[in-house]
Amino acid sequence: MNIRQAVKMAWKSILGKKGRSMLTMLGVIIGIAAVMTIVSVMSGYAAKTMEQFSAMGSNKITVNIYSYVYTEDENGNWVPAGKDYFPDLYAYCKSIPQYIVGITPEAYASVNVVYGTKNSANFEWGWDDATNQMTGQYPPDVYYVSDQYSACNNLTITKGRDLGELDVERYNQVCVLGSQAAEVFFGSADPTGKVLQLNGQNFEVVGVYAPRLTGSDAQNSTIDNFILLPYTARRLLGGDRIENFTVKARDGVSTTEVATRIRGFLNGLIDQSTGDSYVSPDDRWQQSMNEQMGMISLVLGGIAAISLLVGGIGIMNIMLVTVTERTREIGIRRAIGAQRSSIVTQFLIEAAMLCGIGGIIGISIGTLGCYVAGNLLFHMTIYPSASVTAGALGFSVLLGLIFGSYPAIKASKLQPVEALRAE
């Protein structure tokens, strides 16, 4: 018997008992669909997370300069004692432009924002579980930054101008808005030249940044809902000494070099008896998240693979039944000279076809599941990669060969005389 004849016989056997064959394939179908959906959805989640990281800027290094010693100011508040090291760090970073694109403080300013009848203190917001979207209005985040904040965070001016070095040096009362903050306070009108009141102090809007996220992603995020002030505005609005900074390396290769240089510079600058520093490339968080998602994928994939094991056992069981049903046929073939290898091949092909067909159906269901899950969870279209699809089909066929081996070998060992006596 050649391979073509074995395939025809296997196909005829499967079609002859459609209901039993479908039930036999069910475990494989569920397992393949589940594994494909989990792997693809986790890949989509990783891509979405990386998109968020990319929107906030890549090749960034977080620098913390903190003090061990605090002192009481004229208002009775405890504030860090000792020297403000940022001017030195700023000058050092500007001295190595071959490695660094920019440096900026990134300190939150606790202020109330007012324009006309709109007051951020009155904003209310929540989350609608039915639509999976934010409702109401989230108060804008206000930050003290340098003129290099946009370079550090991949921001592009769409109206007006960016913060300048002179704005910082001259203590100018100006601000730049994120696209969401501009829409909240000014709607579709051009905000440039308008004046916001921050804790009662007037700040002129000199520019608006382009949105980093669009569509449904922007509706579910507050990434562009911010107001930036020159860090020297702390003189008017108050706040603790800035201790958190962001440095943007020129490229991924330079990130480690920059972190090492800054770490060495600060170690030689800071009095270790009064304070210290912490320097960390942000890509460590991305790597950690990728590792965590990989572990989650393995765990969930392992759980889904249990159904494949169950499906494989079902294949073995039904093939043993098939061997019993076709004992006389096997006896006749053996009596007229059929080799044991041809018997093994026939049953292995039938088991592989059962699992292969189940795999194809599972791939179809898994692809549909990826599409639905991607649009519901991430508002993006996710399809399984070609490698995942090919791997799922190949694994399903391999499953049939593995679990069909025992019934096939058992069939080939039947003695012709005993097989012919079977009823």
Side-chain angles (χ1 to χ4, degrees):
M1 176 184 290
N2 57 35
I3 298 297
R4 179 178 295 181
Q5 289 176 319
V7 170
K8 287 182 178 179
M9 289 183 65
W11 182 249
K12 183 177 180 181
S13 174
I14 293 171
L15 290 181
K17 297 181 175 62
K18 298 184 182 67
R20 188 175 75 178
S21 298
M22 182 57 66
L23 290 174
T24 302
M25 293 185 288
L26 194 59
V28 177
I29 293 172
I30 294 173
I32 292 293
V35 170
M36 285 192 65
T37 301
I38 289 171
V39 171
S40 298
V41 168
M42 291 303 295
S43 298
Y45 177 68
K48 197 70 175 179
T49 304
M50 291 303 106
E51 181 183 321
Q52 295 278 357
F53 276 121
S54 178
M56 293 185 290
S58 55
N59 307 327
K60 296 199 298 185
I61 300 164
T62 298
V63 179
N64 304 111
I65 302 176
Y66 48 91
S67 176
Y68 299 141
V69 182
Y70 284 75
T71 185
E72 192 172 3
D73 64 12
E74 62 275 9
N75 298 319
N77 299 316
W78 288 97
V79 296
K83 180 182 176 182
D84 183 356
Y85 294 104
F86 177 64
D88 299 289
L89 178 61
Y90 185 88
Y92 175 73
C93 290
K94 290 194 70 175
S95 71
I96 48 174
Q98 68 272 29
Y99 296 112
I100 294 177
V101 173
I103 175 174
T104 180
E106 200 156 346
Y108 183 77
S110 180
V111 297
N112 186 43
V113 184
V114 177
Y115 180 75
T117 60
K118 296 182 179 179
N119 189 325
S120 63
N122 300 327
F123 290 172
E124 295 183 0
W125 70 284
W127 191 264
D128 189 339
D129 292 327
T131 61
N132 199 31
Q133 291 185 351
M134 190 175 71
T135 60
Q137 181 54 53
Y138 189 86
D141 294 320
V142 184
Y143 296 102
Y144 296 126
V145 302
S146 78
D147 56 293
Q148 299 175 17
Y149 182 88
S150 58
C152 293
N153 292 277
N154 290 359
L155 290 167
T156 304
I157 285 289
T158 187
K159 294 178 182 177
R161 67 172 179 85
D162 205 345
L163 291 177
E165 191 171 359
L166 290 178
D167 292 323
V168 177
E169 293 178 356
R170 296 177 179 177
Y171 297 85
N172 291 342
Q173 291 178 228
V174 296
C175 62
V176 182
L177 310 183
S179 57
Q180 289 175 319
E183 183 179 353
V184 168
F185 287 100
F186 301 97
S188 58
D190 186 354
T192 56
K194 305 294 193 303
V195 175
L196 291 175
Q197 285 193 327
L198 281 69
N199 283 1
Q201 300 290 336
N202 291 333
F203 280 77
E204 180 185 352
V205 179
V206 295
V208 179
Y209 292 116
R212 286 177 285 183
L213 298 177
T214 58
S216 58
D217 291 336
Q219 295 175 6
N220 297 327
S221 173
T222 61
I223 189 174
D224 290 314
N225 189 21
F226 61 84
I227 300 174
L228 303 184
L229 309 176
Y231 68 87
T232 48
R234 288 186 306 126
R235 181 187 64 169
L236 291 174
L237 302 177
D240 294 337
R241 189 176 74 189
I242 300 174
E243 297 185 335
N244 300 317
F245 312 96
T246 297
V247 178
K248 174 73 173 289
R250 190 160 294 280
D251 51 48
V253 177
S254 302
T255 302
T256 303
E257 174 72 18
V258 170
T260 302
R261 285 173 174 261
I262 292 176
R263 196 176 290 116
F265 172 76
L266 292 176
N267 286 341
L269 181 68
I270 298 173
D271 183 353
Q272 301 297 313
S273 64
T274 61
D276 207 344
S277 64
Y278 176 76
V279 181
S280 174
D282 283 2
D283 60 358
R284 292 184 181 179
W285 297 104
Q286 299 180 30
Q287 294 172 6
S288 176
M289 182 167 290
N290 285 334
E291 291 173 359
Q292 292 177 13
M293 287 190 293
M295 292 179 62
I296 293 172
S297 297
L298 287 175
V299 172
L300 295 177
I303 293 173
I306 293 175
S307 62
L308 283 174
L309 177 63
V310 174
I313 295 173
I315 293 291
M316 179 184 291
N317 180 59
I318 206 65
M319 291 306 299
L320 287 171
V321 173
T322 300
V323 169
T324 302
E325 292 176 342
R326 295 163 61 181
T327 300
R328 284 186 61 81
E329 174 193 330
I330 295 169
I332 292 172
R333 290 184 58 194
R334 293 281 286 136
I336 60 177
Q339 299 295 318
R340 286 184 58 190
S341 59
S342 66
I343 303 296
V344 171
T345 300
Q346 177 186 346
F347 283 93
L348 282 180
I349 288 177
E350 185 170 336
M353 285 183 66
L354 270 172
C355 284
I357 294 170
I360 293 172
I361 297 173
I363 289 170
S364 301
I365 296 174
T367 301
L368 179 61
C370 292
Y371 177 83
V372 173
N375 281 278
L376 289 178
L377 298 176
F378 311 122
H379 304 285
M380 63 186 295
T381 300
I382 300 175
Y383 289 113
S385 65
S387 59
V388 171
T389 303
L393 181 59
F395 185 78
S396 63
V397 173
L398 180 63
L399 195 71
L401 294 176
I402 292 173
F403 284 93
S405 296
Y406 174 68
I409 293 172
K410 183 178 180 180
S412 70
K413 288 182 177 180
L414 289 174
Q415 296 299 319
V417 175
E418 294 179 0
L420 287 171
R421 289 175 182 169
E423 293 294 334

